[in-house]
Amino acid sequence: MSTPTVEPQSAKVTTLALRRRKAAGRRITMLTAYDYPTALALDQAGIDAILVGDSLGMVVLGYENTLPVTMEEMLHHSRAVARGARRPLLVGDMPFLSYQVSPEEAVRNAGRFLQEGGMDAVKVEGGRERLQAIGAVLQAGIPVMGHIGLTPQSVHQLGGFRPQGRTARAAVELLRDAAALEAAGCFALVLESIPQELAAEISRRLTIPTIGIGAGAGCDGQILVTHDLLGLFERFTPRFVKQYADLHGEMKRAFSAYIQDVETGQFPAQEHNLTMDADEWRSVLKALRSEAAA
Ligand code: KIV
């Protein structure tokens, strides 16, 4: 019997399924999630993969960048997402200093994402300089997604959240990084904020899928930070984001309406109230009267 190459909608998405999808020329969909209700909604909408991104530091926890995010914070949010999403492939984003110090620490922290966080794989930022850590994690049987281009954990080294790979020299370096990460055994590669020509060329050269964010339509799949897509994060929206909703505006409208209703006595209304059987209430009043008379 031949193995089917297209998974039914309800089957758990695996790293192998993503590879097959690229081979079949089908685009891959991925978004970030940090909590249970978002994970549920993404699963129900039919997303292929979810990243519990360290972007949660900025869009959920209010940090200036992703550097302060800890393993404990990542695991806390990973567990919530894993409780909500069954079908998508779940990828935990290894936070700053969880894989840079030594390959041993990288393996231990990557393992925690699977053992304690309910994730199926991890993501690591960086190119050839990360091969040792990535090799060790892969040897432990943990699938690794690479991430090159704009790597937010290196924001200070890069001089800000700036597009990468725009000179011929930088583009060739990224092509070499991509090839090295595929050869090392990464199952997919995030390409962030690089020119579309370069992203398309990397995607053509690799057999593993590329997932683009600000890298054009030539990638094998796309990812966005869900809070950007929903218009939930007001502070800063990158140019490459397409905003599908204005949930920050919706939240403000709902909160203002609530404040107004409470202040004017329109909430709670009769339909929100609990009532008591009239006889029971009369008994309460009677008991109170007897107590007062005693
Ligand atoms: O942390 C994150 O959300 C990411 C995506 C932007 C790829 O790394």
Side-chain angles (χ1 to χ4, degrees):
M1 203 169 75
S2 66
T3 317
T5 52
V6 178
E7 267 63 27
Q9 266 294 306
S10 57
K12 171 77 184 172
V13 179
T14 61
T15 57
L16 184 61
L18 295 189
R19 260 188 121 115
R20 286 179 173 156
R21 200 165 288 222
K22 169 166 179 152
R26 290 175 57 206
R27 292 213 166 93
I28 296 163
T29 58
M30 188 166 189
L31 283 169
T32 64
Y34 318 106
D35 59 40
Y36 174 77
T38 309
L40 261 185
L42 285 173
D43 192 348
Q44 286 166 10
I47 201 85
D48 295 319
I50 293 178
L51 173 70
V52 182
D54 64 352
S55 50
L56 72 84
M58 296 174 76
V59 301
V60 176
L61 302 177
Y63 300 141
E64 273 303 305
N65 53 47
T66 58
L67 300 181
V69 177
T70 64
M71 271 302 296
E72 300 314 317
E73 285 166 339
M74 290 305 300
L75 290 172
H76 173 78
H77 289 273
S78 295
R79 283 191 286 271
V81 169
R83 284 191 285 270
R86 300 262 165 257
R87 181 185 162 273
L89 181 81
L90 302 181
V91 183
D93 206 3
M94 295 197 66
F96 183 53
L97 291 191
S98 69
Y99 55 94
Q100 291 92 338
V101 177
S102 71
E104 291 76 18
E105 277 199 50
V107 173
R108 195 159 297 118
N109 287 319
R112 292 187 73 193
F113 271 103
L114 272 65
Q115 206 167 44
E116 300 171 42
M119 298 288 103
D120 305 312
V122 297
K123 177 169 83 58
V124 168
E125 290 185 10
R128 282 161 288 171
E129 72 281 12
R130 296 286 164 248
L131 286 181
Q132 245 201 320
I134 289 173
V137 173
L138 286 165
Q139 274 216 335
I142 301 167
V144 178
M145 180 177 221
H147 180 164
I148 58 172
L150 170 52
T151 45
Q153 289 173 20
S154 308
V155 58
H156 297 309
Q157 197 174 42
L158 300 177
F161 293 106
R162 307 153 67 89
Q164 299 296 307
R166 295 178 96 175
T167 63
R169 197 192 182 121
V172 169
E173 289 303 313
L174 285 174
L175 278 157
R176 289 187 180 141
D177 280 337
L181 290 170
E182 171 166 76
C186 288
F187 73 88
L189 204 53
V190 169
L191 303 178
E192 179 164 353
S193 211
I194 64 173
Q196 58 177 347
E197 301 86 343
L198 174 59
E201 184 60 28
I202 292 173
S203 306
R204 265 193 298 277
R205 284 168 178 248
L206 301 188
T207 59
I208 58 170
T210 58
I211 310 293
I213 172 163
C219 297
D220 303 304
Q222 298 292 325
I223 182 167
L224 283 176
V225 169
T226 292
H227 283 50
D228 291 338
L229 170 155
L230 293 176
L232 253 175
F233 185 62
E234 248 212 337
R235 216 170 74 199
F236 162 76
T237 307
R239 183 172 160 259
F240 53 72
V241 169
K242 179 168 176 186
Q243 204 176 308
Y244 288 80
D246 173 24
L247 292 198
H248 183 79
E250 272 301 302
M251 271 166 53
K252 274 204 311 201
R253 270 188 290 283
F255 298 151
S256 304
Y258 169 78
I259 291 166
Q260 167 115 9
D261 276 1
V262 171
E263 285 178 352
T264 59
Q266 292 188 70
F267 176 80
Q270 202 44 39
E271 68 268 27
H272 307 118
N273 296 337
L274 278 178
T275 52
M276 204 167 172
D277 177 78
D279 285 343
E280 290 294 329
W281 184 237
R282 264 193 294 276
S283 300
V284 172
L285 296 178
K286 195 170 156 195
L288 290 176
R289 275 196 300 274
S290 320
E291 262 181 41

